[in-house]
Amino acid sequence: SKGPAVHSLRMQADRVRYRNYMKKTLENTPNLTLVQAEVVEVLVENGAVSGVRTAFGMTYRAKAVIIATGTSLGGRVIVGEHAYSSGPDNTLPATRLTAALRDIGVSIVRFKTGTPPRVHSDSIDYSVLERQEGDEPAFLFASDDYGTNLLPCYVTYTNPETHRIIRENLHRSPLFGGMIKGVGPRYCPSIEDKVVRFADKDRHQIFIEPMGLDTKEMYLQGLSSSLPEDVQRDIVHSMKGLENAVIMRTAYAIEYDCSDPTQLRPTLEFRDIGGLYGAGQFNGSSGYEEAAAQGLIAGINAARKLQGKESLVLDRSEAYIGVLIDDLVTKESHEPYRMMTSRAEYRLLLRQDNADQRLTEKGYEVGLISQERYDRLKEKERLIESEIERLKNAYVGTSEKVQELLESYESTPLNSGSSLAELIRRPELSYEAVTDIDVTRPELPKDLAAEVIEQVDISLKYDGYIQRQKRQVEQFKKMENKKIPEDMDYDAVNSLRIEAVQKLKEYRPVSIGQASRISGVSPADISVLLVYLSGNHR
C-alpha cells in the first residue's frame, strides 16, 4: 500500500535443496579443489595473507582468503541453564581460530543470535490459522525455471497466557540471568525480550513456515528463545493452532565471535592485511540475506584481486548491498546489523522490481551473467524506453468512450485532450486501465510483457520523485568521487578536530563521501578536508 519503494516480495525457499544444489554445482565446477577441514590459523607475511593452516597441521598457500565462519566461531549454544560449545544446528564449533585471528591483528567482538523451535507439521491445527500464500511471481525478471512458491505459510499470535508464562519464568532465562554475554540483534529479539520490552503489546505475530518440501519440520518465525525446554513447550502450546504441537527441535541462543567490520575496506578486504576478506555474519551482520550478499561481494573481489582487476564496490545509490557494506565499514555497530529499507536514502531507486536494470550490467562485467541474459535486459530496456515515449505522444480526446472509462475508475473527466502518459500518472489509473482507449498499443513480446508494463507504470507514476532522487544521487556521487589518498597524513591537516583526526586515521576512508558518514567527523571537518585536498592537488 505504500508504493514500490518499500515492496518486499517473498519467495519461500528450501534451504536443504539449495545447499544440495550448490554442493553439486561446486563439485562439478572445473579447476575447483574442495577440501573439508577445520582451519585454525590464517598465515600472514609482510602485511598480506599467505595461506591457512588446518587442525591437522596441513598448510595451504593462498594469495586470497575469505573468512565466512557464520556463528561457528567460538560458538556456544545456550538453552535454559545448559550451555555447550557448538556451531549452529549442532555442527562443530571453530574453537581455536579466534585467538589466531587476534594474533594477526583482527579485532574481535562477541555477538548473540537465536533460532526458534521447530514443530511437526502434522501436529498443527491449520483450520484456525491465517493462511499466507507467497508472492507470484516473487522475482519477475528471473529465468523461467527459477522456481515458484509451492507451500503456504501460516500466522498465529502470542496472547496474554503466553506472556504470563514468559514473565513467570524470566528468572530461568539465561538472557536476563547474565549467562548470555553476547549482544543480540535489536530488530529480531527473542520472544522473552519482546515481552519485556513491549509490555504494552497484547500479542506478537508468529509465522509458521515450512522448512522445505521434503521435511515435516515447521519453523516458528518470531519465537526465538533461550528459555528452558519445558517453558518453551508451554509457550508453544499456549498459542492458537499449536495446542498439541510436537516440538522436534528446541529453540536456542548461540553466542559467537566475529570481527569488527570497521577494519574492512568497502571491498570487504581487511585494510591492514592484504588478500584477507571477511564475509557474512563474521562481519557483524545478521544472517541469511545480509550474509549472502557479503559472500557474493567478497568472492567477486577476492577473485578480481588475483586477476589483477579493479574491485567491485556498489555504492549506496546502486544497491542495498552498497548500503549494507557502507554501514558496516563506516558506522560503529554494537549489535548484529540488519538491513532495512529505512536505512537507504535512495530507496525509491533501489526497488526490487528494477534490480535487474541496476545490477545486471555489473554482473555481466565481472563474468557472472550470461550473454543471453544480458541481451534480454538490453531488449527490455529498449522496449520500456520506446513504450514510455509512445505514451507521451499518444493523445486521446473527450470522446464518450474516454469519459466512460474515466468514470468507471472514478477519475476526473477530461475537459480537453490528454496524453496516455498523463492519464497513467493518475493514482487510480494504470497502463492496463487505459487499454481500451489506447489505439496504438503495440504487441509486446510475451516473455517480457509483464516486466515492461510494470516498469512503464512505475516510471510514469513516480517520474517526478525519481528525477528528484536522481539529482540527489548526482550530488552524492560528487562526494564519492573525491578520493582520499591511502597514505593521507591527517595530522598534517590544520583545523581538523582531534576526534576527527583519530576517527579518520582509524577508518582510513577511501573518499570524502565515506569520510562524511563516519561518526565523529563533522561537516566542518569535511570542509577542512576538501580545502586541504584541493590545495594539495593544485
Side-chain angles (χ1 to χ4, degrees):
S1 64
K2 293 181 180 178
V6 288
H7 284 175
S8 183
L9 303 186
R10 180 178 184 139
M11 169 62 78
Q12 190 69 23
D14 185 328
R15 68 178 188 169
V16 174
R17 286 194 174 195
Y18 175 74
R19 183 175 65 215
N20 292 340
Y21 174 85
M22 289 309 301
K23 187 170 187 288
K24 182 179 178 181
T25 300
L26 291 169
E27 290 173 350
N28 286 282
T29 297
N31 304 316
L32 178 65
T33 301
L34 298 176
V35 177
Q36 299 179 46
E38 181 189 356
V39 171
V40 296
E41 188 179 357
V42 175
L43 308 176
V44 175
E45 297 174 9
N46 302 318
V49 75
S50 59
V52 298
R53 186 171 289 123
T54 72
F56 298 142
M58 188 70 178
T59 297
Y60 293 91
R61 308 299 292 182
K63 293 178 181 176
V65 170
I66 303 170
I67 303 177
T69 46
T71 58
S72 294
L73 190 62
R76 178 171 174 257
V77 165
I78 305 157
V79 180
E81 59 271 16
H82 302 284
Y84 58 95
S85 292
S86 175
D89 295 332
N90 286 321
T91 55
L92 290 173
T95 55
R96 295 161 59 184
L97 184 58
T98 296
L101 291 173
R102 283 198 175 106
D103 288 344
I104 61 173
V106 175
S107 177
I108 298 293
V109 295
R110 193 150 180 87
F111 281 164
K112 179 218 81 154
T113 190
T115 191
R118 274 70 154 176
V119 301
H120 197 290
S121 174
D122 293 347
S123 65
I124 299 171
D125 181 4
Y126 295 103
S127 66
V128 297
L129 299 178
E130 296 176 22
R131 181 180 171 117
Q132 276 204 341
E133 302 291 347
D135 294 294
E136 293 295 351
F139 300 101
L140 201 57
F141 45 80
S143 59
D144 294 336
D145 62 351
Y146 184 84
T148 187
N149 284 298
L150 299 176
L151 294 175
C153 293
Y154 296 85
V155 177
T156 189
Y157 298 88
T158 63
N159 54 58
E161 174 63 10
T162 313
H163 299 182
R164 181 193 65 77
I165 295 167
I166 292 169
R167 289 193 186 99
E168 289 183 0
N169 287 279
L170 285 176
H171 65 285
R172 301 179 65 191
S173 167
L175 184 64
F176 292 94
M179 192 173 178
I180 293 175
K181 306 296 183 187
V183 181
R186 187 179 4 155
Y187 297 105
C188 49
S190 64
I191 188 64
E192 54 265 40
D193 200 11
K194 277 193 274 194
V195 167
V196 170
R197 280 166 51 188
F198 307 107
D200 58 317
K201 298 282 186 184
D202 292 329
R203 66 178 193 172
H204 295 283
Q205 197 172 40
I206 306 296
F207 291 93
I208 304 174
E209 306 176 353
M211 292 286 289
L213 294 173
D214 303 316
T215 177
K216 290 285 188 176
E217 283 188 73
M218 303 293 282
Y219 188 93
L220 303 185
Q221 179 68 268
L223 207 65
S224 294
S225 179
S226 57
L227 284 162
E229 191 170 359
D230 61 304
V231 180
Q232 290 188 35
R233 182 190 59 219
D234 292 342
I235 290 170
V236 170
H237 289 168
S238 71
M239 289 184 284
K240 186 192 288 189
L242 301 176
E243 293 88 350
N244 299 303
V246 175
I247 297 178
M248 298 175 71
R249 275 199 279 173
T250 308
Y252 61 84
I254 184 167
E255 288 186 319
Y256 58 98
D257 293 328
C258 55
S259 73
D260 175 354
T262 59
Q263 303 165 96
L264 302 171
R265 304 174 192 270
T267 60
L268 296 182
E269 182 181 23
F270 278 82
R271 281 194 305 270
D272 299 328
I273 308 172
L276 181 63
Y277 294 81
Q281 287 180 269
F282 176 72
N283 289 348
S285 73
S286 56
Y288 298 120
E289 296 90 350
E290 293 89 347
Q294 294 169 74
L296 176 67
I297 297 299
I300 288 170
N301 284 331
R304 289 178 74 80
K305 184 181 182 75
L306 301 185
Q307 295 167 341
K309 295 179 179 177
E310 186 179 351
S311 297
L312 173 68
V313 175
L314 300 174
D315 69 43
R316 301 180 71 89
S317 69
E318 293 174 315
Y320 276 105
I321 293 176
V323 177
L324 162 71
I325 293 175
D326 186 66
D327 280 352
L328 284 172
V329 303
T330 60
K331 297 179 180 178
E332 295 176 4
S333 181
H334 304 291
E335 63 187 8
Y337 178 95
R338 167 142 286 190
M339 185 73 254
M340 294 175 291
T341 55
S342 58
R343 296 190 189 271
E345 307 92 313
Y346 310 112
R347 59 182 178 271
L348 189 55
L349 302 180
L350 305 185
R351 308 185 309 273
Q352 61 84 30
D353 62 80
N354 68 358
D356 59 336
Q357 295 171 73
R358 288 186 283 111
L359 298 171
T360 299
E361 187 147 351
K362 293 181 182 296
Y364 179 71
E365 288 169 1
V366 300
L368 293 176
I369 295 292
S370 67
Q371 185 68 49
E372 180 186 5
R373 184 165 169 184
Y374 181 68
D375 291 343
R376 173 188 163 97
L377 170 74
K378 288 295 157 189
E379 175 61 8
K380 173 182 169 179
E381 290 179 333
R382 186 192 68 77
L383 289 168
I384 292 168
E385 193 175 325
S386 64
E387 189 63 354
I388 289 174
E389 194 60 30
R390 181 188 71 82
L391 291 165
K392 286 179 178 178
N393 292 291
Y395 282 83
V396 293
T398 57
S399 68
E400 185 178 345
K401 184 177 182 179
V402 171
Q403 304 291 36
E404 284 178 356
L405 181 130
L406 295 176
E407 186 181 345
S408 69
Y409 285 95
E410 297 183 354
S411 190
T412 306
L414 291 177
N415 294 321
S416 60
S418 169
S419 72
L420 290 174
E422 288 169 342
L423 290 179
I424 291 171
R425 287 194 180 101
R426 295 184 178 189
E428 64 276 9
L429 297 179
S430 65
Y431 183 94
E432 292 289 8
V434 301
T435 301
D436 290 343
I437 56 173
D438 185 357
V439 294
T440 63
R441 183 174 185 172
E443 190 69 36
L444 292 170
K446 186 177 287 187
D447 62 329
L448 282 172
E451 299 178 44
V452 171
I453 290 169
E454 180 184 43
Q455 290 307 301
V456 169
D457 249 340
I458 291 172
S459 296
L460 288 174
K461 283 185 181 298
Y462 295 91
D463 183 55
Y465 299 104
I466 290 171
Q467 295 309 319
R468 184 169 64 189
Q469 199 144 96
K470 283 181 176 178
R471 288 193 293 272
Q472 292 170 349
V473 168
E474 286 175 18
Q475 295 301 313
F476 163 78
K477 294 272 192 187
K478 286 179 182 177
M479 298 290 273
E480 296 302 299
N481 291 333
K482 292 183 188 298
K483 300 301 180 185
I484 299 176
E486 202 164 324
D487 59 352
M488 176 85 164
D489 181 6
Y490 293 103
D491 291 313
V493 184
N494 294 326
S495 302
L496 268 184
R497 294 176 310 111
I498 293 173
E499 183 187 11
V501 171
Q502 291 172 341
K503 288 296 181 75
L504 290 166
K505 287 166 72 172
E506 179 186 353
Y507 285 79
R508 311 298 308 183
V510 297
S511 69
I512 289 292
Q514 188 186 355
S516 69
R517 294 188 292 276
I518 296 173
S519 175
V521 178
S522 71
D525 297 318
I526 295 300
S527 297
V528 170
L529 267 181
L530 284 168
V531 171
Y532 180 83
L533 289 171
S534 175
N536 273 7
H537 179 72
R538 281 199 297 271

